[in-house]
Amino acid sequence: MTTSPLPLLAVQTALYARLKASTALMAKVTGVYDFVPETAVYPYIVVGEAIETPDNSHDRFGRQTVHTLHVWDQYRGFRRVLEIGAFVNALLDHQPLAVSGLDHISTRYEFGQPLTDPTPPGDIRHLVLRYRIVTEQTP
């Protein structure tokens, strides 16, 4: 029995693909990024930080991957980032996810937190979304 060498990368790739494939979401944002180019225009989503922990069973390797997504915008107020967050949540929470080389068990929404970026001029809105993705080794 062997484990996938990079479950973090497989999950990140699946999240990115799911978000980019949604025409409804892409109509609301200018892009989905792992690295944000200097030319990026608001609003956009960043597939951000992740934590991976073992979640093994008796006969299979498993992982719990907690991924953080960031929605960024310059809209005055939180309305637009929250609307975008609702689209993201509909795409991910309790939905099947195609994770290459792994069996997807579940994706669960953990929390969302709207923030104002304090860096002057202070007009950037930021929504932090976190999801727990459980995967197992493909038999």
Side-chain angles (χ1 to χ4, degrees), residues 114-129:
L115 302 165
T116 300
D117 188 340
T119 306
D123 62 348
I124 297 176
R125 299 296 186 253
H126 178 197
L127 176 63
V128 180
L129 299 167

Side-chain angles (χ1 to χ4, degrees), residues 19 27 37 39 61 68-69 73 77 86 100 111 127:
L19 297 176
T39 57
F61 287 109
T68 304
L69 304 176
D73 198 4
S100 179
F111 78 81
L127 176 63

Side-chain angles (χ1 to χ4, degrees), residues 64-75:
Q64 289 197 26
T65 306
V66 178
H67 254 282
T68 304
L69 304 176
H70 303 273
V71 180
W72 295 93
D73 198 4
Q74 277 188 312
Y75 184 81

Side-chain angles (χ1 to χ4, degrees), residues 73-94:
D73 198 4
Q74 277 188 312
Y75 184 81
R76 294 192 181 270
F78 288 107
R79 180 178 157 204
R80 201 155 71 175
V81 294
L82 294 173
E83 288 175 350
I84 293 166
F87 269 87
V88 170
N89 214 37
L91 291 169
L92 298 178
D93 189 32
H94 288 78

Side-chain angles (χ1 to χ4, degrees), residues 2-77:
T2 61
T3 185
S4 174
L6 292 174
L8 278 169
L9 180 57
V11 171
Q12 178 183 357
T13 301
L15 289 171
Y16 179 83
R18 169 63 58 84
L19 297 176
K20 289 288 287 184
S22 170
T23 55
L25 178 64
M26 295 312 295
K28 295 204 167 275
V29 298
T30 62
V32 177
Y33 301 105
D34 174 27
F35 174 80
V36 182
E38 289 184 29
T39 57
V41 176
Y42 295 103
Y44 57 83
I45 297 172
V46 176
V47 179
E49 306 78 14
I51 298 169
E52 180 182 277
T53 56
D55 190 21
N56 302 322
S57 63
H58 292 289
D59 62 344
R60 291 170 63 168
F61 287 109
R63 296 287 186 272
Q64 289 197 26
T65 306
V66 178
H67 254 282
T68 304
L69 304 176
H70 303 273
V71 180
W72 295 93
D73 198 4
Q74 277 188 312
Y75 184 81
R76 294 192 181 270

Side-chain angles (χ1 to χ4, degrees), residues 87-110:
F87 269 87
V88 170
N89 214 37
L91 291 169
L92 298 178
D93 189 32
H94 288 78
Q95 298 300 315
L97 191 62
V99 182
S100 179
L102 298 168
D103 287 338
H104 174 259
I105 306 303
S106 65
T107 298
R108 300 290 185 259
Y109 172 72
E110 285 198 343

